[in-house]
Amino acid sequence: PGPSKSAETLLVRREGNEVVFLNALRFQPDSALNLRFPLMNERLPAAMAALGKEGVMEGTDYRGAEVIAALRAVPDSPWSLVARMDKAEVYAPLWERLRQTLLVLTALITASGAGLAAAWRRQRLGDFRRLEESAQALRAGERLLREIAANYPRSYISIIEKDMTVGFTSGQEFRKRGLNPEDFVGLTLEQVFGDKASFVREHYLRAFDGREAEFELFFDGQHQLYRAIPLADERGRIPRILAVVENITDRKRQESEILAARDELKRLLDVAERARRVLLSVVEDQKASEEEVRKLNVELERRVRDRTAQLESANKELEAFAYSASHDLRAPLRGIDGWSLALLEDYHHRLDDKARGFLERIRAETQRMGRLIDDLLHFSRETRGELNMQAVDMTALAETVVARLVGEHPAAEVRIVIRPGLKARGDARLLEIVLVNLLDNALKFSRSRTPALVEFGRSDRDGRGVFFIRDNGVGFDMTYADKLFKVFQRLHGASEFPGSGIGLATVRNIISRHGGRIWAEAEPGAGA
């Protein structure tokens, strides 16, 4: 509060990338809600306030005048308050105080001289008393001047003499860096600035010519703003200039960050525009291909219907063939087996051991052929029909299968490990056939071991759950592993390990129908 030629209070808020003035302005009528400036104007106090900054700072107001402003956010609102005054008006009292001090000093010195002359005539003691008072006033004025300079907040101020030497310097920057400003008095520009002295001298000479000079200099690790102001005497001569130095390192860093952010924003906008064009092209291509896809879908549906009808017909023919083959093949096999048994029983005493052995082999092969027919029919049935998918307790299912199989595979000692808590989702009936075939093989091929070891469990491989059945049996050569799951393919002789060669093929088909995969890993003599 108080009279001012330039001070005013502004109420502003942010709208998008602009700051809007909410109240009428002192120097621009009809500005309420009409006057706007971009937020990128970092020297505008209103823009600083809209960006959330607070405190006292310098800048350029809406008139383009240098001002000092205090910024505060209005609580619980999007508004900010800006109290600003022209810098010239703010610093006017300082310069007026300095001028008054100099005038007082001049007056005191003049009064002291006149008093000394009068006192010399009247009383020398009074003269000395007045002289002492003048000296005290002079020292007080000098202290005031030095205090003003020492507390200059920006960086420091200096008096530069005509011969380009430092006549006086002081400021808070010296205290911050632990330096004594008196050590710089009398130094030349070359001693202070080194190789940058010629650049500084060029601008200082402009000030000695009566023109204010302003320039930036990166010196001693700081970005500094210099203002060289002529100090003319009463005759208009300029014996010295005033150098006001401001540390603008933070401002430069902010400007650099803003420029970098602007460049990055431009780059992102370019990328977004390219992406938009690509997306438009993709959309157009997609529209063009949708009709083609629709036509292909119609054709595919027709082919699927035709193929389904063909498969259903083929399945019916295959089922009829399997039934016929089973019926037509079993009759002669039963005849061969029956007549061979009658020959053995009725003519046993007429046949020697070799002939009886031949007949036994004929009967065994006939019975094996019957089992092959049964297995083929079983294989055919298990690869058709709908899957009844449900949750299956694989641990309980394996325990049931093992209990049934152990008696069929006598061994000196057998150890069976079934991991608890094994769960799966599938057709329980088909999964039981899988376990019967695999566990039967494991027990059969490990019966010669002491102890025989069979393990059923689960592990993770490549991020997927894998069920395994492991034994310590005879194993096999991995060179022939691709034959394991084919019909009638065997890696061991039937006399050593009996079987039809269809079980693993059945297992593979069941696993494939469940969307899974089956494979074998083994080493001769080290299990599978």
Side-chain angles (χ1 to χ4, degrees):
S4 170
K5 296 179 180 180
S6 64
E8 67 176 321
T9 301
L10 317 175
L11 193 62
V12 299
R13 74 177 179 200
R14 176 177 181 174
E15 287 189 4
N17 292 324
E18 296 180 324
V19 58
V20 180
F21 292 76
L22 303 181
N23 59 318
L25 303 180
R26 181 174 185 178
F27 300 102
Q28 186 165 341
D30 300 324
S31 56
L33 298 177
N34 293 321
L35 186 61
R36 298 168 179 262
F37 283 90
L39 292 176
M40 294 295 292
N41 187 353
E42 74 277 5
R43 290 278 295 162
L44 184 68
M48 300 180 193
L51 290 173
K53 295 183 180 180
E54 292 189 336
V56 179
M57 54 196 68
E58 294 184 10
T60 304
D61 73 348
Y62 60 89
R63 302 168 301 155
E66 291 290 323
V67 297
I68 295 179
L71 315 180
R72 292 289 186 275
V74 179
D76 301 322
S77 76
W79 304 340
S80 296
L81 202 65
V82 181
R84 65 124 200 95
M85 181 184 291
D86 287 359
K87 185 189 292 187
E89 182 178 355
V90 174
Y91 287 124
L94 176 64
W95 294 113
E96 180 62 23
R97 187 174 181 182
L98 181 60
R99 188 183 67 81
Q100 292 176 357
T101 301
L102 293 176
L103 291 175
V104 168
L105 292 177
T106 303
L108 289 174
I109 293 172
T110 303
S112 299
L116 181 62
W120 185 264
R121 297 185 188 93
R122 294 191 291 275
Q123 188 177 4
R124 294 190 62 184
L125 181 60
D127 295 340
F128 285 125
R129 184 180 300 112
R130 291 184 179 87
L131 183 60
E132 179 61 20
E133 291 175 353
S134 299
Q136 290 178 357
L138 182 62
R139 287 193 293 271
E142 182 181 357
R143 284 195 301 270
L144 177 61
L145 180 62
R146 289 185 177 275
E147 182 179 353
I148 293 173
N151 289 280
Y152 181 69
R154 296 301 177 188
S155 190
Y156 59 89
I157 60 176
S158 298
I159 300 295
I160 306 300
E161 302 294 342
K162 192 72 174 179
D163 58 357
M164 294 293 180
T165 60
V166 179
F168 169 81
T169 186
S170 187
Q172 291 186 358
E173 186 69 20
F174 291 102
R175 290 205 303 271
K176 292 178 181 178
R177 303 176 62 180
L179 300 175
N180 183 6
E182 297 295 335
D183 295 339
F184 292 85
V185 175
L187 297 182
T188 64
L189 296 184
E190 286 74 12
Q191 291 173 317
V192 176
F193 294 101
D195 57 356
K196 294 182 173 61
S198 60
F199 175 77
V200 177
R201 181 186 299 275
E202 178 183 351
H203 290 83
Y204 280 178
L205 287 175
R206 291 180 57 193
F208 276 110
D209 288 340
R211 296 171 296 169
E212 288 192 10
E214 182 174 296
F215 60 94
E216 294 183 8
L217 179 68
F218 184 78
F219 177 68
D220 204 12
Q222 297 178 346
H223 286 280
Q224 297 176 338
L225 176 64
Y226 285 73
R227 291 187 179 88
I229 303 171
L231 298 179
D233 59 14
E234 66 279 0
R235 298 181 181 180
R237 296 176 301 178
I238 304 175
R240 58 186 61 84
I241 62 174
L242 175 66
V244 181
V245 185
E246 180 181 355
N247 185 353
I248 59 172
T249 303
D250 291 341
R251 185 196 306 173
K252 283 291 184 181
R253 183 176 64 253
Q254 293 173 357
E255 291 175 355
S256 176
E257 292 174 352
I258 291 173
L259 290 176
R262 185 181 64 185
D263 293 341
E264 179 65 14
L265 179 60
K266 183 179 179 182
R267 185 187 68 81
L268 291 176
L269 290 175
D270 291 341
V271 172
E273 177 60 23
R274 291 197 298 269
R276 186 185 67 83
R277 290 196 294 267
V278 171
L279 182 59
L280 288 176
S281 175
V282 170
V283 169
E284 292 174 358
D285 293 341
Q286 182 179 4
K287 290 180 179 179
S289 62
E290 282 178 353
E291 181 62 22
E292 184 66 21
V293 171
R294 188 189 64 80
K295 294 178 180 179
L296 291 175
N297 285 335
V298 172
E299 178 65 18
L300 180 61
E301 289 176 359
R302 184 187 64 78
R303 293 183 180 182
V304 168
R305 287 195 299 270
D306 295 344
R307 184 60 176 165
T308 301
Q310 294 173 4
L311 289 176
E312 289 177 353
S313 177
N315 282 334
K316 291 179 181 178
E317 293 176 1
L318 179 61
E319 186 174 355
F321 171 77
Y323 178 80
S324 176
S326 172
H327 183 271
D328 294 343
L329 290 176
R330 286 180 186 278
L333 287 176
R334 285 195 297 269
I336 294 171
D337 185 51
W339 288 115
S340 298
L341 178 60
L343 188 59
L344 282 172
E345 291 177 348
D346 295 344
Y347 295 92
H348 184 272
H349 60 284
R350 295 184 184 184
L351 301 174
D352 56 15
D353 292 339
K354 187 174 183 180
R356 287 192 297 271
F358 287 156
L359 290 173
E360 291 290 350
R361 292 182 65 181
I362 289 173
R363 291 195 66 211
E365 292 301 321
T366 302
Q367 293 169 4
R368 192 167 76 85
M369 185 64 181
R371 289 193 297 273
L372 283 175
I373 293 173
D374 291 338
D375 289 341
L376 281 173
L377 290 173
H378 183 70
F379 176 78
S380 176
R381 286 194 300 268
E382 299 307 339
T383 55
R384 300 195 306 273
E386 294 292 333
L387 292 177
N388 181 20
M389 302 297 288
Q390 59 183 322
V392 180
D393 187 341
M394 298 295 287
T395 298
L397 189 59
E399 290 173 347
T400 301
V401 171
V402 167
R404 190 164 65 242
L405 294 176
V406 167
E408 301 175 9
H409 297 277
E413 182 181 350
V414 60
R415 179 168 175 258
I416 300 176
V417 178
I418 300 176
R419 298 284 178 86
L422 299 179
K423 305 289 183 182
R425 182 171 180 78
D427 189 305
R429 179 180 60 85
L430 296 181
L431 292 181
E432 181 179 2
I433 295 172
V434 169
L435 291 181
V436 167
N437 280 279
L438 295 180
L439 290 171
D440 181 72
N441 275 358
L443 290 168
K444 177 170 61 178
F445 288 106
S446 61
R447 66 189 179 190
S448 60
R449 303 299 185 190
T450 303
L453 174 62
V454 176
E455 182 181 1
F456 176 46
R458 178 178 174 134
S459 64
D460 289 327
R461 180 173 295 189
D462 298 330
R464 300 190 65 181
V466 177
F467 289 96
F468 65 86
I469 293 177
R470 180 186 297 128
D471 65 66
N472 64 341
V474 297
F476 59 86
D477 188 346
M478 287 293 291
T479 305
Y480 309 103
D482 59 336
K483 297 181 178 181
L484 277 180
F485 301 101
K486 297 179 180 179
V487 177
F488 299 134
Q489 296 292 328
R490 296 174 51 81
L491 303 185
H492 301 280
S495 59
E496 184 182 5
F497 298 101
S500 62
I502 296 178
L504 289 182
T506 302
V507 169
R508 184 198 61 182
N509 285 350
I510 293 174
I511 295 300
S512 297
R513 293 190 66 196
H514 281 76
R517 184 169 66 93
I518 184 168
W519 70 96
E521 300 170 357
E523 184 179 345

